[in-house]
């Protein structure tokens, strides 16, 4: 309830919560992002350091630090919002999912719902819908 009175309820919840994070899982996500950058650099025929430099990073370590912070903040915000959804009794019903699916497919650049559900698991899509619904509820939208 305190979060609902804030201009940014998600930031308020993150700032006022205690987290127990799985460092190994975070490290794996960071490694995936670094591997993606390495693949992009290889495709372009340049060193990863050069690609990162073009993107504004001083080094691979700087990029790794930035990505680690992004992953941690993402996890924290998701944990808080899903806990808020639970406390507020919010959920995505099957009918709501089907109604929102075309909008979300378009939002994420898919031409149809079938290809969207093929690429992104329905559970993941529903989680994104629940996140948005909860944030909208918290902000009074």
């Amino acid at each position: 309830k305190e979060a609902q009175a804030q201009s940014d309820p998600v930031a308020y919840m993150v700032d006022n919560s205690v987290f127990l994070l799985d460092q190994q899982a975070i490290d794996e996500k960071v490694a995936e992002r670094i591997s993606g950058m390495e693949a992009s650099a290889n495709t372009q025929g340049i060193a990863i350091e050069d690609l990162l430099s073009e993107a504004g990073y001083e080094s691979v370590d700087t990029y790794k630090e930035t990505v680690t912070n992004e992953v941690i903040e993402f996890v924290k915000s998701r944990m808080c919002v899903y806990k808020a959804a639970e406390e507020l009794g919010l959920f995505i019903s099957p009918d709501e999912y089907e109604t929102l699916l075309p909008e979300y497919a378009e939002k994420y650049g898919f031409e149809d719902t079938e290809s969207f559900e093929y690429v992104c698991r329905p559970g993941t899509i529903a989680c994104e819908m629940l996140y948005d619904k909860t944030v909208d509820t918290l902000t009074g939208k």
Side-chain angles (χ1 to χ4, degrees):
K1 292 186 181 232
E2 289 179 29
Q4 287 178 294
Q6 307 301 313
S7 60
D8 187 344
V10 177
Y12 177 84
M13 289 185 300
V14 168
D15 290 344
N16 291 281
S17 297
V18 175
F19 299 91
L20 179 60
L21 301 174
D22 181 345
Q23 189 62 48
Q24 182 178 349
I26 291 168
D27 291 344
E28 288 172 8
K29 285 291 181 194
V30 171
E32 286 175 17
R33 296 265 303 268
I34 291 171
S35 292
M37 288 300 277
E38 288 172 339
S40 293
N42 287 338
T43 300
Q44 296 178 38
I46 61 175
I48 187 171
E49 293 81 5
D50 295 334
L51 180 62
L52 291 174
S53 178
E54 290 174 13
Y57 297 97
E58 293 177 17
S59 66
V60 174
D61 287 338
T62 304
Y63 177 73
K64 182 178 180 180
E65 181 180 333
T66 300
V67 170
T68 299
N69 291 334
E70 288 172 359
V71 169
I72 289 171
E73 289 307 308
F74 177 85
V75 169
K76 286 179 175 181
S77 69
R78 294 298 163 144
M79 290 173 72
C80 287
V81 170
Y82 295 141
K83 181 64 177 171
E86 178 184 322
E87 290 181 10
L88 293 168
L90 299 175
F91 60 92
I92 299 296
S93 70
D95 287 342
E96 194 172 9
Y97 176 87
E98 291 301 325
T99 300
L100 292 171
L101 190 59
E103 174 187 329
Y104 275 74
E106 183 179 330
K107 176 180 175 179
Y108 289 100
F110 290 86
E111 292 182 21
D112 57 67
T113 58
E114 293 80 17
S115 59
F116 183 42
E117 287 184 305
Y118 179 77
V119 172
C120 303
R121 294 174 295 177
T124 302
I125 297 167
C127 284
E128 191 64 23
M129 291 173 179
L130 180 60
Y131 181 91
D132 292 345
K133 180 178 182 176
T134 305
V135 170
D136 286 350
T137 299
L138 290 169
T139 58
K141 289 184 181 175

